[in-house]
Amino acid sequence: MGKSYYETGKAQQMSIFNLFYRKAPENNNWAVVSGTDEAIEMVKGLGNRDEAFFERFLPGNEYGEFRKFLSTMRFTGDIYAMKEGEIAFPNQPIITVVGPMVEAQVLETPLLCIMNHQMAVATKASRVTRATNHPVSEFGSRRAHGPWAAIYGAKAAIIAGCANTSNILTSSYFDTMATGTMAHSYITSFGCTVKGEYTAFDTYIKTHKGEPLILLIDSYDTLKCGIRNAVKAFKDNGIGDDYAPLYGIRLDSGDLAYLSQQCRQMLDHEGLTGCKIFATNSLDEYLITDLERQGACIDSYGVGDAIATSKAAPCFGNVYKLVQIDDEPVLKCSEDTIKLINPGFQRTYRIIKNDPVQGEVFKADVTCLVGDETSRKITAGEEFEIFDEYDIYKHKTFEAGSYTYRVLQVEMMKGGEIVAEQDSLGQKKAFYESNLAHLSPSERRLINPHYYKSDISRELFNLKHSIMDRLEKEIRQYEKNNKD
């Protein structure tokens, strides 16, 4: 496509592309944005290779001029995007790219690669962490789809609620805490005996005093020797409730609800009431919910593949579509209604109302054409109406002075230069948690969530259907002409 644009003079034609998704995974109503910082960093690096690099996959004299063009091409346009930690609803522009056609077109695959991975992980991590009030650690590096996925997937998981990660490179790159426990191989390396298990615990405590101490107790028998050896090792080394860093045990197999209850009784009986119980073993939001329903005495969870691979829905559905060329809005039609896109340069406004009990609550999102009448009314604080695109009898009026608003897409690049400040990982996590708190409890639940109002302006609706009506007439005429 790029070569065609270049050779026909379309390369510099101004275009607008939107990156968005059509449906959230696992019947969720929304997704968590992660990856925009890496996306912007990727765009900034566009065109930093010499001609020889491009010759590897564009060989031959017929590509010579185009190779030279690619080696000197830089992104010169503008990018608007949702911040990491934002909550995004279907069909809203998560990233909008405004720039010369060829520059914007070549970004499609790398943008989707980055955003689909991180948003899949972040959205799953949100579901898992919403299943409990206890901390969840991201433990998925060994199941992630490669080192890059492990590092940035852990980052996405922390944004969306995980307390920490076992990936030390993520902790280093993003200045966050890494955590971990021992493996079964550590226990068995001291000999496959009950005495060897005690020696492993005792040695671990002696070599890590002053740090958090989590002992893995299910290598042989959790209740008959594991918990007893752990209690003895803690006491022999003077570890008790006055130990300032965290201390605890880890359960990684068996009936976690029953075992955690029995271990809690034994620990409390021995005076180790401050000893934490940490659980792993292929957990996800459904298992965690069920464990808590059973009254499991678990203080913290470690979740691996369910988060790192977004195991139940591993493929996130972001797409990248042209919505305007020069000043002409365009769209892709389809026999599948869900694939019909919104045309034109768009912005999404989040409407916020102050509830006397709940405080500020997100009430609706409306995606408008830039500068249309609905967006003008919103920014002026005037009365406006929204309606469901697929059911015009569902509508809601917001009276003047009854709401505030926030624009979801922030200018990230201008004229090819990064203009947005980059938040720390902690700030992104706090932003997500703040957004989550402003949704109603019914919109946050995991099963059958209440669907949040996410609509389009009347002007965008009219534009979309005017293009569709025109196309339908042209198609009918074309079909008639060909029959004649």
Side-chain angles (χ1 to χ4, degrees), residues 252-289:
D252 188 49
S253 61
D255 186 333
L256 296 180
Y258 171 75
L259 291 173
S260 66
Q261 292 164 348
Q262 294 301 306
C263 286
R264 183 77 272 158
Q265 289 180 20
M266 295 174 73
L267 290 167
D268 291 351
H269 178 73
E270 295 292 338
L272 301 179
T273 58
C275 183
K276 303 298 182 184
I277 299 177
F278 186 68
T280 54
N281 189 22
S282 299
L283 298 174
D284 61 16
E285 66 267 42
Y286 304 106
L287 289 171
I288 290 172
T289 298

Side-chain angles (χ1 to χ4, degrees), residues 27-28 41 51 80 189 247 358 370 398 414-415 468:
N27 294 317
N28 215 43
E41 186 179 332
E51 289 183 57
Y80 302 84
S189 74
Y247 82 108
Q358 295 177 288
V370 172
F398 290 89
K414 186 175 181 62
M468 291 166 57

Side-chain angles (χ1 to χ4, degrees), residues 349-378:
Y349 295 82
R350 181 152 290 163
I351 308 304
I352 306 164
K353 297 194 76 171
N354 199 309
D355 183 277
V357 177
Q358 295 177 288
E360 288 191 338
V361 179
F362 296 161
K363 299 302 291 185
D365 287 3
V366 55
T367 298
C368 304
L369 292 166
V370 172
D372 71 12
E373 181 64 12
T374 301
S375 65
R376 186 200 66 76
K377 287 180 178 180
I378 293 172

Side-chain angles (χ1 to χ4, degrees), residues 468-480:
M468 291 166 57
D469 290 344
R470 175 178 54 79
L471 278 170
E472 186 179 358
K473 290 177 183 177
E474 289 185 15
I475 291 168
R476 283 203 306 265
Q477 188 61 48
Y478 180 80
E479 186 180 30
K480 181 181 176 182

Side-chain angles (χ1 to χ4, degrees), residues 117 141 144-154 167 169-170 173:
H117 168 245
S141 292
H145 298 152
W148 188 96
I151 294 168
Y152 292 99
N167 191 297
L169 284 178
T170 300
Y173 291 172

Side-chain angles (χ1 to χ4, degrees), residues 44 75-79 98 411 413-419:
K44 183 62 180 173
F75 182 73
T76 60
D78 306 331
I79 292 182
V98 183
E411 188 171 43
M413 294 189 80
K414 186 175 181 62
E417 297 298 326
I418 298 174
V419 294

Side-chain angles (χ1 to χ4, degrees), residues 167-401:
N167 191 297
I168 58 173
L169 284 178
T170 300
S171 72
S172 175
Y173 291 172
F174 298 102
D175 192 24
T176 189
M177 186 172 74
T179 188
T181 70
M182 61 183 65
H184 290 104
S185 57
Y186 178 81
I187 309 296
T188 57
S189 74
F190 288 85
C192 192
T193 63
V194 172
K195 182 180 179 181
E197 182 182 54
Y198 169 79
T199 304
F201 293 161
D202 181 66
T203 303
Y204 189 85
I205 293 170
K206 284 181 167 57
T207 55
H208 289 83
K209 252 192 177 178
E211 304 172 25
L213 300 170
I214 304 292
L215 306 181
L216 178 59
I217 66 168
D218 71 331
S219 295
Y220 305 128
D221 191 293
T222 298
L223 299 181
K224 292 179 181 177
C225 62
I227 185 65
R228 299 177 189 279
N229 273 330
V231 168
K232 177 173 170 53
F234 281 137
K235 288 191 167 184
D236 287 351
N237 286 278
I239 305 298
D241 289 354
D242 59 347
Y243 182 69
L246 177 75
Y247 82 108
I249 59 169
R250 174 182 161 209
L251 301 172
D252 188 49
S253 61
D255 186 333
L256 296 180
Y258 171 75
L259 291 173
S260 66
Q261 292 164 348
Q262 294 301 306
C263 286
R264 183 77 272 158
Q265 289 180 20
M266 295 174 73
L267 290 167
D268 291 351
H269 178 73
E270 295 292 338
L272 301 179
T273 58
C275 183
K276 303 298 182 184
I277 299 177
F278 186 68
T280 54
N281 189 22
S282 299
L283 298 174
D284 61 16
E285 66 267 42
Y286 304 106
L287 289 171
I288 290 172
T289 298
D290 197 50
L291 284 169
E292 302 212 338
R293 182 187 60 79
Q294 295 176 64
C297 298
I298 295 171
D299 299 292
S300 186
Y301 299 93
V303 179
D305 52 3
I307 289 177
T309 67
S310 185
K311 191 173 182 179
C315 182
F316 197 83
N318 278 320
V319 294
Y320 185 77
K321 300 297 180 183
L322 181 68
V323 296
Q324 186 162 308
I325 188 72
D326 287 333
D327 295 323
E328 179 188 357
V330 298
L331 58 74
K332 171 193 177 294
C333 286
S334 174
E335 292 180 3
D336 296 330
T337 304
I338 196 172
K339 289 194 171 185
L340 180 64
I341 71 171
N342 294 325
F345 195 4
Q346 303 157 37
R347 287 280 186 281
T348 304
Y349 295 82
R350 181 152 290 163
I351 308 304
I352 306 164
K353 297 194 76 171
N354 199 309
D355 183 277
V357 177
Q358 295 177 288
E360 288 191 338
V361 179
F362 296 161
K363 299 302 291 185
D365 287 3
V366 55
T367 298
C368 304
L369 292 166
V370 172
D372 71 12
E373 181 64 12
T374 301
S375 65
R376 186 200 66 76
K377 287 180 178 180
I378 293 172
T379 55
E382 298 175 5
E383 180 179 298
F384 73 97
E385 184 180 42
I386 61 173
F387 64 97
D388 189 317
E389 179 183 0
Y390 303 105
D391 186 350
I392 61 173
Y393 298 104
K394 290 182 179 179
H395 56 89
K396 182 175 179 61
T397 299
F398 290 89
E399 297 177 354

